[in-house]
Amino acid sequence: MKSWHVSLALALVHASVVFAQGSVLTPQQPQDAGSPGAFKIVGNSLVSAQQLFLGTEDQVYFIDKAEANPATVGGHSAWMSEYSLSSNMARTMELTTNAFCAGGGVLGNGTWVNVGGGVEAVSESAVAGGSSLRLLTPCDDGSCEWHITANLSTERRYPTVETLEDGTLLIMGGCKSCDFINNANSANPTYEIFPSLPALGPDGAYSPSLSIANPVFSPFLNSTLPANLYPLTFLLPSGRLLVQANRKTAIIDHRAGTEELLGDVPDAVRTYPASASVVLLPLTPRNRWEATIMFCGGSNISDDEWTNNLAQAPASKSCVQITPDVSGQYDHTDSLPEGRTMGNLILLPTGQVMLLNGANSGIAGIGNASWAVGQSYADHPILEPLLFDPEAPKGQRWSRANLSASTVPRMYPSSATLLPDGAILVAGSNPNFDYTNSPSVPYETEYRIEKLYPSYFDRRRPEPHGLPTVLTYGGSWFDVELSPDDYFHDPKHTKGAKVVVMRTGFSTHAQNMGQRLIELENTVSIDGGGVAVLHVAQVPPNPAAFPPGPAFLFVVVDGVPSIGVMVTVGSGRLGPQELSAPATLPPGVGANLVTNAKASAGHKPRDFERVVGMCVAGVLGALLA
């Protein structure tokens, strides 16, 4: 058996073992007591975090380009590290291929894949990584390491990665040897799927005739030079892909091999190196789980202006949205208070979105152009975060209220991710060719790790009882219990309680690839003992709305999220997912009434008092009927 088959098989087995551990979880309170709205420096990443992802409830993984970091591993400079949130300590990890400007995502079995990157070999034994596939199944005991598997069929620097409805990864675009912008000689206007399982047919069954074993040429990508690196790609609930590059937008059906052009994106270039901030807004029952993608900032640069004085080119303030399964045209939403490039939009469990990192002028990238600031192609870092509320009235969606500025410039290429306790971890920034630690450099290599604490960090968190570790696509609901402390002794708060499932994504170059939030339907009952019971529907029976794999489950009460617990969505395996019809939820009961909340079979009350309370509730409910 080929070595990469062995590596992938081991990853599959390990992931299956992890996913097989079923239990019921009860999150507690955060260990970290941060100040609401403030940043705090908490640790050292050992490598510059041009890429990062949250692998477990405790471990964050940082990925750097091959460069002369002082930290070492295996006799050479380290280019990867693993960071423990509980101890704020990092350890170096071995990697032999250059991951500069790679992409990444997570398979449906829980294995993370780092794709492509640096096409050139560099000093200290690193080898070219443009066609490299690097696999990691995260762990909490310091024993997991990266495995190099089979190469891609072609080199890809600046590729985008998106998890598909069968848990495989779509790998899109990039270039073979380009610099910070693409060109016809090095462009790679194709996409491929890893691993190359047969594709899903329209009925959800395997269809060998649709198997994608080789790269598929994309006329859309081929027509969007030069600014089409890291194409902004999102799996839609329809099973198709929204892809935005340069000024153009398309719907790509990777199963049928078709492309459909939509309206051009207005106001600015959004893709790298213009590097707008981009996010798939929450999928909720209120919007019928329709996907709306928001683009903010970027640069209004024409195709023939990419060699001008770009470091001082003003970034765009424009924010636009598109709901491609409904309309092929963009709509404007509230503009930013100032232009921004290279910012990260991070989903919060509340459904709000935090914007942080980036600069007010310039573009992503580094070089020795006469107009560069040091070697940075951007200038004027923005230290103040912004909060976006998609459900606020238009004109009132952005706010800086009660948010403080960071002291650390986060320039090219910085990264960020949501954490299980609801804080945002921020790292990276090194707009230099190599590790640089000199006061003469405008923007040094940055190892400091920060956390930004949203407003709910001064409030007690809900401690929901009964959260599952596995979620299915449709099927029987599950019950989550909230004590009076959890709903802040006001039953009205239970009516607006949310249960959300989140994937925090793979962060690099102003994207969090695969980041998404889906809100589950629920109704609520309050038993005679005052315990509120949320009857929660499973994930809608559509894996394209939320692809299978690891995720975090939060319960939000009165705008305050619980600690997120790690769950598995779907089977924990690659391939078609089992779909079931959603069970009808019990009717919701107002806070002034009582009812027997336990309609679900097999439920075990916590204690004798609960049983007595439920019996009393049943009698009172009959009298009140």
Side-chain angles (χ1 to χ4, degrees):
M1 182 180 288
K2 294 181 180 179
S3 60
W4 75 271
H5 286 131
V6 173
S7 298
L8 184 57
L10 289 173
L12 285 166
V13 170
H14 182 75
S16 296
V17 170
V18 172
F19 289 154
Q21 297 171 353
S23 61
V24 175
L25 304 173
T26 303
Q28 304 297 315
Q29 298 300 307
Q31 296 181 354
D32 196 354
S35 298
F39 287 86
K40 180 172 72 174
I41 296 171
V42 297
N44 185 301
S45 59
L46 300 182
V47 302
S48 183
Q50 65 156 276
Q51 303 156 42
L52 69 79
F53 63 91
L54 175 64
T56 73
E57 292 175 354
D58 187 57
Q59 301 295 328
V60 175
Y61 294 87
F62 299 115
I63 305 167
D64 196 1
K65 67 178 182 290
E67 60 181 352
N69 294 312
T72 61
V73 63
H76 63 83
S77 294
W79 311 313
M80 287 194 177
S81 66
E82 178 185 62
Y83 181 79
S84 168
L85 297 170
S86 57
S87 68
N88 287 324
M89 298 296 292
R91 73 173 179 98
T92 57
M93 302 182 77
E94 180 62 278
L95 195 71
T96 56
T97 59
N98 188 4
F100 187 31
C101 298
V106 63
L107 291 166
N109 64 14
T111 295
W112 285 83
V113 183
N114 185 253
V115 177
V119 296
E120 72 279 357
V122 295
S123 61
E124 291 198 279
S125 76
V127 298
S131 59
S132 184
L133 283 165
R134 313 165 189 93
L135 269 64
L136 175 75
T137 299
C139 65
D140 286 323
D141 61 5
S143 65
C144 46
E145 297 290 345
W146 288 89
H147 299 279
I148 307 298
T149 70
N151 285 339
L152 293 164
S153 59
T154 180
E155 291 182 339
R156 294 187 188 275
R157 189 174 190 173
Y158 309 104
T160 299
V161 180
E162 179 78 339
T163 306
L164 298 176
E165 60 267 47
D166 63 354
T168 61
L169 297 179
L170 180 126
I171 302 168
M172 171 78 70
C175 66
K176 298 177 181 178
S177 60
C178 64
D179 197 354
F180 77 105
I181 58 171
N182 211 348
N183 61 78
N185 293 326
S186 62
N188 193 343
T190 67
Y191 57 88
E192 58 190 300
I193 293 176
F194 175 80
S196 56
L197 299 177
L200 293 176
D203 59 354
Y206 275 129
S207 176
S209 63
L210 294 176
S211 177
I212 302 174
N214 298 304
V216 176
F217 175 75
S218 168
F220 168 77
L221 287 178
N222 196 49
S223 69
T224 51
L225 291 171
N228 67 356
L229 300 174
Y230 284 131
L232 303 172
T233 305
F234 299 87
L235 178 68
L236 302 173
S238 64
R240 305 176 300 166
L241 297 156
L242 176 84
V243 186
Q244 198 283 312
N246 207 335
R247 305 275 180 168
K248 295 184 178 181
T249 308
I251 293 287
I252 295 180
D253 189 327
H254 59 286
R255 295 173 297 180
T258 60
E259 299 186 351
E260 173 191 353
L261 282 178
L262 305 182
D264 286 356
V265 66
D267 305 330
V269 177
R270 311 291 179 166
T271 37
Y272 176 89
S275 296
S277 309
V278 60
V279 67
L280 171 62
L281 293 173
L283 304 168
T284 73
R286 294 173 298 286
N287 60 32
R288 301 179 300 280
W289 298 289
E290 292 171 347
T292 296
I293 297 94
M294 181 171 74
F295 304 79
C296 287
S299 298
N300 189 14
I301 296 173
S302 63
D303 289 351
D304 59 355
E305 291 180 330
W306 288 103
T307 57
N308 292 349
N309 183 13
L310 298 179
Q312 304 306 322
S316 174
K317 298 180 181 180
S318 164
C319 286
V320 295
Q321 298 179 351
I322 188 169
T323 308
D325 283 336
V326 176
S327 170
Q329 300 299 316
Y330 286 88
D331 295 316
H332 283 85
T333 186
D334 295 11
S335 297
L336 300 173
E338 66 275 307
R340 187 182 303 233
T341 183
M342 301 185 295
N344 286 88
L345 283 166
I346 303 297
L347 290 166
L348 299 180
T350 58
Q352 299 166 308
V353 191
M354 192 74 77
L355 174 61
L356 66 170
N357 296 346
N360 183 232
S361 70
I363 60 171
I366 54 176
N368 288 321
S370 60
W371 44 261
V373 181
Q375 292 177 334
S376 173
Y377 282 179
D379 200 6
H380 306 105
I382 299 177
L383 302 177
E384 299 83 6
L386 281 163
L387 186 66
F388 181 82
D389 186 348
E391 297 191 359
K394 198 167 183 179
Q396 303 176 35
R397 292 173 182 169
W398 288 109
S399 173
R400 278 206 170 102
N402 303 313
L403 293 172
S404 302
S406 170
T407 60
V408 183
R410 297 294 182 181
M411 305 295 279
Y412 175 83
S414 302
S415 50
T417 188
L418 182 76
L419 298 178
D421 66 0
I424 298 172
L425 183 141
V426 191
S429 187
N430 184 24
N432 304 286
F433 284 126
D434 207 339
Y435 164 74
T436 304
N437 182 19
S438 169
S440 65
V441 174
Y443 305 111
E444 300 176 74
T445 304
E446 189 58 68
Y447 296 142
R448 287 176 291 177
I449 299 170
E450 292 176 286
K451 289 183 182 178
L452 171 60
Y453 300 96
S455 60
Y456 41 73
F457 261 80
D458 63 351
R459 299 185 64 182
R460 181 195 181 276
R461 302 297 186 87
E463 297 181 358
H465 178 81
L467 296 180
T469 57
V470 176
L471 297 175
T472 59
Y473 291 107
S476 300
W477 77 83
F478 58 93
D479 285 340
V480 174
E481 298 173 347
L482 299 173
S483 72
D485 287 341
D486 296 329
Y487 56 80
F488 311 108
H489 297 275
D490 186 345
K492 290 184 294 185
H493 292 153
T494 65
K495 291 184 179 181
K498 303 177 183 178
V499 181
V500 300
V501 186
M502 300 187 67
R503 185 160 293 141
T504 54
F506 180 94
S507 180
T508 188
H509 289 72
Q511 292 190 61
N512 284 68
M513 299 177 188
Q515 178 184 216
R516 63 178 62 203
L517 180 158
I518 192 166
E519 181 183 330
L520 307 181
E521 286 190 289
N522 77 81
T523 59
V524 61
S525 303
I526 298 180
D527 72 12
V531 172
V533 182
L534 302 179
H535 313 292
V536 187
Q538 298 283 348
V539 178
N542 177 12
F546 198 98
F552 288 86
L553 184 63
F554 295 85
V555 176
V556 184
V557 182
D558 192 31
V560 181
S562 67
I563 301 296
V565 298
M566 200 165 192
V567 298
T568 299
V569 178
S571 66
R573 298 184 299 275
L574 307 184
Q577 302 296 301
E578 182 178 348
L579 310 181
S580 301
T584 302
L585 294 176
V589 176
N592 295 324
L593 299 178
V594 287
T595 185
N596 184 340
K598 294 304 163 193
S600 55
H603 177 78
K604 297 180 180 179
R606 283 197 223 175
D607 49 40
F608 176 75
E609 288 76 17
R610 285 288 319 281
V611 176
V612 172
M614 288 165 58
C615 293
V616 172
V619 173
L620 291 175
L623 292 174
L624 292 170

